[in-house]
Amino acid sequence: SCECLNGKCNDGKQGNGFCTCNLGWKGVNCNECATGFTGLNCDQCTLNYYGYNCTSCSCINGKCFDGKTGTGNCDCNIGWVGTSCN
């Protein structure tokens, strides 16, 4: 039997014994935070990741409006312009 800590086991006669992890989790047993996630329950975005799925920001020379409620838009440093401040 599989031990999926934060996901669902693909078991039964047609199953393969692998875990399908919940959003924010990865690993064989779904016990590691997926890329871009952090926190006790892997439900927060790490620095420079934004939105529900914690998508990577593309700000080169500026600060990203990051976090779960962030837009991913860039606040450019002085002298820089453009979508990615590049």
Side-chain angles (χ1 to χ4, degrees):
S1 69
C2 23
E3 293 182 28
C4 306
L5 300 177
N6 298 285
K8 186 177 185 308
C9 181
N10 187 353
D11 55 9
K13 287 191 176 190
Q14 304 299 319
N16 59 11
F18 289 108
C19 298
T20 301
C21 299
N22 297 335
L23 179 68
W25 296 91
K26 71 174 184 179
V28 175
N29 297 323
C30 302
N31 61 344
E32 304 167 40
C33 288
T35 303
F37 286 88
T38 190
L40 191 61
N41 297 311
C42 296
D43 58 356
Q44 300 298 312
C45 297
T46 55
L47 194 63
N48 291 321
Y49 285 80
Y50 72 96
Y52 179 74
N53 292 318
C54 293
T55 306
S56 178
C57 290
S58 62
C59 304
I60 309 297
N61 298 290
K63 173 154 179 15
C64 173
F65 290 105
D66 55 13
K68 279 289 198 185
T69 58
T71 59
N73 292 339
C74 301
D75 181 19
C76 297
N77 296 335
I78 294 173
W80 293 94
V81 295
T83 307
S84 298
C85 304
N86 60 348

